[in-house]
RNA sequence: UGGGCUGUCGCCAAGCGGCAAGGCAACGGGUUUUGAUCCCGUCAUACGCAGGUUCAAAUCCUGCCAGCCCAGCCA
């Protein structure tokens, strides 16, 4: 953020310059996913950037499916991506765009390049092309097909288009410079032959444009002013510019320009579609929307909100620096949002029974508890109190372990949240020594007030009344991997955190009977949870994130 | 001496020649019937390193060093 309390970055600075110099009267951006996987939080960064810029500058942002490779893409990903974008709260400008809708135009522009003697059909196979390309330190050499006549090339391209050649038999290449230090300028492939059925154009085409050829032209056709992508495309910018500058329709000062920013990397997770796909396919997670996945749908199922994700991307910012972002920034963003919106409730994740010995048998009290301690307008809810309750195992110790301990112990009083002060007297254990039941007494004059004699009760613990308690399953999530940063070549499947999902069975208060999937609730002292959106009938709660905990005891 | 980028607090990140923003974390303290929230305070004589230009340099110049990316008929 800058001094004016707004987020700034080098792209905004560039837009400001372009607008000031009247290069453009308004801006146009685009979000161009390839439909070959689900969107993840790194894409969310790009979505908020592109759609956010358009919104702030009163411009437009297209959603364009970059679908130039029929062998890798699938209609199911298109649907999932649209759903994720809508969920994030964005509406694309006009109709959804598809690179495949421009196939005819791409073909005509390819013809234009041939006519300008800037492209040729090459019959070298892929191995030969690689050999001819040279290496990073050694220049390449010209293809023997480089000097085919324009007329012949036109004819060959037409034959490629007509399906007269086999897959892999030939490609269309740009005629640029085999000695360039940019590998992508050594006569890049512009078109290849594929007989696969395309999800949009079906069997209409036998040739498909490469990314570098399709992307810049798509941007230009749509009037994109600022084409934003990630750092690995920096070299490709030379090809992007070369293509547009050599096409009469687009060789103008206000043509699209590409700007690159660094992709988002998060600690303890992976942000590559390929790796995420491996996790899904090898059933190492339950699916693309597994709550441990950094996908939009996973985060959503986990209980993350779009407000939090947007705030996170704002806090992280846009730059060109390679980064590994601290998970805490994401966690704090979701806590900040949920703290404001989440109704409070009580749930016991790891229950032990408590018997209030001096409380009348058969009596059931209805008490009221605030739904939000700072927001009275959210009202109150009914909770119950009786002789038999559940508290969390971690909230009782036989002997006070240290002087900072503020929970229940024998002869140590504690406040039951929104109810009475109790004091433990004794307890039962099972055969293995685990505590099963705690016996306690309650102070009947402490409801909504401190003890009369001035005793200070420091600790507050949560509870659920036994007869009214609802059984619930809690799914407790932790980081997906055990390392902050996964090395380039290490076997990432071996580095999965085996404790990333722990399932507990416990109790929640009866008000949770009509809780709704994906809506955030705070189980007080435990954290934020939401009902799982794939298990509609049972009370299954996904832990979004725990409360901030400064307790070092 | 292939080329393209990047190096500002533990993590993000502004800064574009005039006296190092902000967020997160951390650390003190206050409020609190959530060890939560909230509030208040502390937290880079220093910008990868070394030189140089200038009254003045994180910002300009030179030279190093480190990291990332590029040799798909992937995007």
């Amino acid at each position: 953020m800058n001094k004016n309390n707004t987020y700034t970055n080098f792209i905004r600075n560039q837009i400001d310059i372009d607008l000031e110099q009247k290069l453009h009267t308004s801006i146009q951006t685009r979000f161009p996913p390839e439909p070959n996987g689900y969107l993840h939080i790194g894409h969310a960064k790009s979505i908020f950037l592109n759609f956010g810029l358009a919104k702030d500058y009163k411009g437009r942002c297209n959603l364009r499916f970059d679908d130039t490779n029929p062998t890798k893409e699938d209609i199911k990903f298109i649907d999932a991506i649209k759903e994720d974008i809508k969920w994030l709260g964005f509406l694309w400008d006009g109709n959804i765009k598809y690179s495949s809708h421009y196939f005819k135009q791409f073909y005509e522009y390819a013809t234009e390049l041939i006519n300008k003697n800037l492209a040729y059909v090459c019959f070298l196979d892929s191995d030969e092309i690689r050999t001819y390309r040279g290496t990073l330190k050694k220049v390449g050499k010209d293809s023997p097909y480089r000097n085919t006549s324009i007329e012949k090339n036109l004819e060959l391209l037409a034959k490629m288009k007509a399906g007269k050649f086999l897959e892999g038999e030939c490609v269309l290449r740009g005629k640029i410079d085999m000695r360039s230090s940019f590998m992508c300028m050594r006569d890049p492939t512009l078109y290849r032959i594929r007989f696969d059925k395309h999800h949009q154009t079906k069997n209409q085409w036998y040739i498909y444009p490469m990314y570098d050829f399709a992307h810049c032209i798509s941007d230009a056709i749509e009037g994109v002013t600022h084409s934003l992508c990630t750092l690995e495309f920096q070299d490709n910018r030379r090809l992007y510019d070369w293509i547009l500058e050599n096409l009469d329709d687009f060789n103008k000062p206000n043509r699209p320009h590409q700007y690159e920013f660094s992709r988002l990397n998060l600690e303890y997770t992976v942000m590559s579609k390929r790796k995420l796909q491996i996790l899904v396919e090898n059933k190492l997670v339950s699916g693309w929307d597994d709550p441990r996945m950094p996908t939009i749908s996973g985060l959503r199922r986990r209980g993350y909100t779009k407000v939090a994700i947007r705030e996170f991307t704002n806090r992280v910012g846009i730059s060109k620096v390679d980064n590994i972002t601290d998970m805490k920034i994401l966690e704090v963003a979701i806590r900040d949002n949920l703290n404001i919106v989440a109704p409070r409730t009580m749930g016991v994740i790891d229950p032990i029974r408590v018997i209030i010995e001096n409380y009348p048998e058969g009596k059931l009290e209805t008490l009221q508890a605030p739904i939000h301690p700072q927001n009275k307008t959210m009202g109150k809810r009914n909770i119950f109190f009786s002789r038999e309750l559940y508290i969390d195992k971690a909230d009782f110790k036989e002997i006070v372990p240290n002087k900072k301990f503020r929970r229940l112990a024998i002869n140590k009083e504690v406040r039951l949240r929104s109810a009475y002060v109790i004091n433990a007297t004794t307890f039962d254990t099972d055969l293995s020594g685990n505590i099963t039941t705690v016996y306690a007494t309650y102070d009947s004059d402490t409801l909504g007030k401190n003890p009369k004699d001035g005793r200070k009760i420091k600790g507050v613990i949560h509870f659920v009344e036994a007869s009214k308690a609802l059984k619930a399953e809690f799914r407790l999530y932790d980081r997906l991997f055990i390392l902050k940063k996964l090395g380039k070549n290490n076997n990432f499947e071996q580095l999965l955190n085996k404790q990333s999902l722990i399932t507990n069975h416990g109790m929640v208060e009866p008000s949770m009977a009509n809780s709704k999937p994906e809506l955030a609730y705070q189980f007080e002292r435990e954290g934020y949870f939401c009902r799982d959106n794939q298990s509609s009938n049972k009370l299954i709660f996904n832990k979004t994130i725990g409360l901030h905990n400064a307790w070092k005891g």
Side-chain angles (χ1 to χ4, degrees), chain A residues 366-400:
Chain A
T366 303
L367 310 175
Q368 289 207 305
I371 291 175
H372 194 296
Q374 276 83 239
N375 184 355
K376 304 282 179 258
T377 66
M378 289 174 83
K380 297 190 170 199
R381 67 191 200 276
N382 288 145
I383 60 169
F384 299 90
F385 195 86
S386 77
R387 186 181 163 85
E388 187 175 341
L389 320 167
Y390 291 104
I391 65 168
D392 198 273
K393 202 169 271 178
D395 284 337
F396 174 75
K397 290 273 182 296
E398 179 183 359
I399 299 163
V400 174

Side-chain angles (χ1 to χ4, degrees), chain A residues 353-363 385-389 396 408-411 416 420-428 437-444:
Chain A
R353 212 156 63 115
V354 175
I355 305 293
I356 310 293
E357 296 171 297
N358 60 340
Y359 196 89
E361 283 197 50
K363 182 177 174 185
F385 195 86
S386 77
R387 186 181 163 85
E388 187 175 341
L389 320 167
F396 174 75
L408 186 64
I410 301 299
N411 290 323
L416 291 177
Y420 300 94
V421 169
I422 63 168
N423 192 8
T425 53
T426 181
F427 61 92
D428 289 340
T437 305
V438 174
Y439 297 90
T441 57
Y442 87 118
D443 183 337
S444 60

Side-chain angles (χ1 to χ4, degrees), chain A residues 25-43:
Chain A
T25 51
S26 72
I27 67 157
Q28 167 88 240
T29 57
R30 101 269 91 113
F31 175 63
E34 185 188 14
N36 67 345
Y38 276 55
L39 261 27
H40 54 61
I41 191 167
H43 294 108

